[in-house]
Amino acid sequence: MADTATTASAAAASAASAATDAPPFQLGKPRFQQTSFYGRFRHFLDIIDPRTLFVTERRLREAVQLLEDYKHGTLRPGVTNEQAILHPDTNEKIFMPFRMSGYIPFGTPIVVGLLLPNQTLASTVFWQWLNQSHNACVNYANRNATKPSPASKFIQGYLGAVISAVSIAVGLNVLVQKANKFTPATRLLVQRFVPFPAVASANICNVVLMRYGELEEGIDVLDGDGNLVGSSRIAARHPPLPTTLSRMVLPMPILVLPPIVMSMLEKTALLQARPRLLLPVQSLVCLAAFGLALPLAISLFPQMSEIETSQLEPEIARATSSRTVVYNKGL
């Protein structure tokens, strides 16, 4: 699972939409209100929409031109915003497998691999490593480039996530294999749920390591109009419980639902008579769980958190007239 806390909101302007109720384009702001679950759900549906993988170079350049028109005040009326595939800070085209719109198509085979039954030690290590590597590449490709971070910060988070995921997955598999009270069928079923605690722990480890840098450098806080007020160490120390909980919840439907569904489907006469269909069916189940559950899961918690300026450093409070400021706490 990728770390959407570092995902930049890559939005570009498009030609006038046929939908007359479409919201007007606002540079740097989501199309939908982020204070409600429904607004966040609609926002993330746009972010992960795989149709943008097939946007042509010409269409992409047209969207970039519309952005430039907007910045210079020459944008024609009726234009709305649409998902784009350029990094909003660097204007560089993001490699297709690392775009948020490619997260489900390119991540589903990894999920299938994570949930394969009867895995060896080597296969367990390989799939956990591949999953964390894919997540790291997505996080880096969609990073916030307006505030440069040393590559060592990402490498530290990556190594921590890989080590924690692999060690927990291997450790749990060894414990399950040595559990004499389990029947072979029960052992196989329990092993299928091992990827979830491994991935969840890796996500939490990544939060801790990435937040460690923020504790030293501070985190950007913004006023109600989205203007940067400053960097606050106090905001960075704000209780990270919602972020930690969200990192535990995110992989749950993707890594827990397919094993449950497959344990029931495998008992059907069709799959018992045609065992070769098991892998294709499992792939479809994983794709459905990924595609349906991911936008629901990442919409549970708001990405921006609010804090009163009176609780922050005096220089932050003096720099703005707003009573509260917001900061990106991640997902």
Side-chain angles (χ1 to χ4, degrees):
M1 296 286 302
D3 176 10
T4 45
T6 59
T7 302
S9 177
S14 74
S17 172
T20 56
D21 59 346
F25 173 76
Q26 290 181 290
L27 186 65
K29 294 185 179 181
R31 295 174 61 191
F32 306 97
Q33 289 293 331
Q34 299 298 286
T35 54
S36 68
F37 171 80
Y38 178 73
R40 294 192 296 271
F41 179 69
R42 291 293 303 273
H43 170 68
F44 285 115
L45 283 181
D46 280 351
I47 293 295
I48 65 174
D49 188 350
R51 291 177 299 177
T52 60
L53 293 173
F54 306 102
V55 173
T56 63
E57 191 74 21
R58 181 183 64 82
R59 185 70 188 85
L60 179 61
R61 294 305 166 191
E62 289 176 356
V64 173
Q65 184 58 50
L66 286 175
L67 270 180
E68 292 300 318
D69 292 344
Y70 181 90
K71 292 177 182 178
H72 293 92
T74 58
L75 188 66
R76 63 181 181 274
V79 175
T80 59
N81 67 336
E82 182 183 73
Q83 176 66 29
I85 57 177
L86 285 181
H87 192 288
D89 300 328
T90 64
N91 277 339
E92 295 177 354
K93 191 172 182 179
I94 300 175
F95 187 43
M96 187 179 291
F98 304 150
R99 300 174 197 166
M100 285 308 299
S101 55
Y103 193 55
I104 291 176
F106 291 96
T108 297
I110 299 176
V111 173
V112 174
L114 286 170
L115 297 176
L116 288 175
N118 298 317
Q119 294 208 37
T120 64
L121 175 62
S123 65
T124 298
V125 172
F126 171 76
W127 287 112
Q128 290 291 343
W129 165 79
L130 185 61
N131 179 53
Q132 296 304 325
S133 297
H134 179 243
N135 290 345
C137 290
V138 172
N139 292 339
Y140 185 78
N142 295 276
R143 70 196 183 281
N144 184 349
T146 59
K147 188 176 182 180
S149 299
S152 59
K153 182 178 179 181
F154 290 93
I155 295 174
Q156 185 181 47
Y158 166 66
L159 292 178
V162 169
I163 292 172
S164 60
V166 170
S167 59
I168 289 179
V170 171
L172 289 177
N173 274 324
V174 171
L175 290 177
V176 171
Q177 289 293 342
K178 291 183 177 180
N180 298 324
K181 295 181 180 180
F182 288 161
T183 64
T186 302
R187 184 178 291 110
L188 178 61
L189 180 61
V190 173
Q191 280 183 313
R192 285 182 164 178
F193 291 97
V194 167
F196 168 65
V199 172
S201 65
N203 290 348
I204 295 174
C205 180
N206 188 270
V207 169
V208 173
L209 292 173
M210 297 298 282
R211 277 295 179 90
Y212 180 77
E214 292 177 352
L215 291 175
E216 294 182 341
E217 303 171 7
I219 190 171
D220 288 347
V221 293
L222 314 172
D223 62 19
D225 297 323
N227 300 315
L228 177 64
V229 177
S231 294
S232 170
R233 292 187 177 91
I234 295 178
R237 292 198 301 267
H238 209 247
L241 182 60
T243 304
T244 304
L245 289 177
S246 68
R247 295 299 182 90
M248 295 175 63
V249 170
L250 289 182
M252 185 179 294
I254 300 168
L255 297 175
V256 173
L257 288 179
I260 295 175
V261 173
M262 288 304 300
S263 65
M264 295 185 293
L265 293 179
E266 287 171 355
K267 298 176 182 178
T268 62
L270 175 63
L271 292 184
Q272 287 185 347
R274 298 175 175 82
R276 292 184 177 181
L277 293 178
L278 282 173
L279 184 58
V281 170
Q282 178 170 322
S283 300
L284 291 175
V285 170
C286 289
L287 178 62
F290 211 162
L292 296 176
L294 179 63
L296 291 172
I298 59 181
S299 303
L300 290 176
F301 303 95
Q303 187 169 352
M304 304 300 291
S305 185
E306 189 176 66
I307 187 171
E308 294 186 1
T309 54
S310 59
Q311 301 178 24
L312 301 179
E313 294 87 343
E315 59 269 21
I316 297 292
R318 291 194 299 266
T320 179
S321 59
S322 299
R323 189 177 65 85
T324 60
V325 291
V326 297
Y327 61 94
N328 187 342
K329 68 175 181 58
L331 290 172

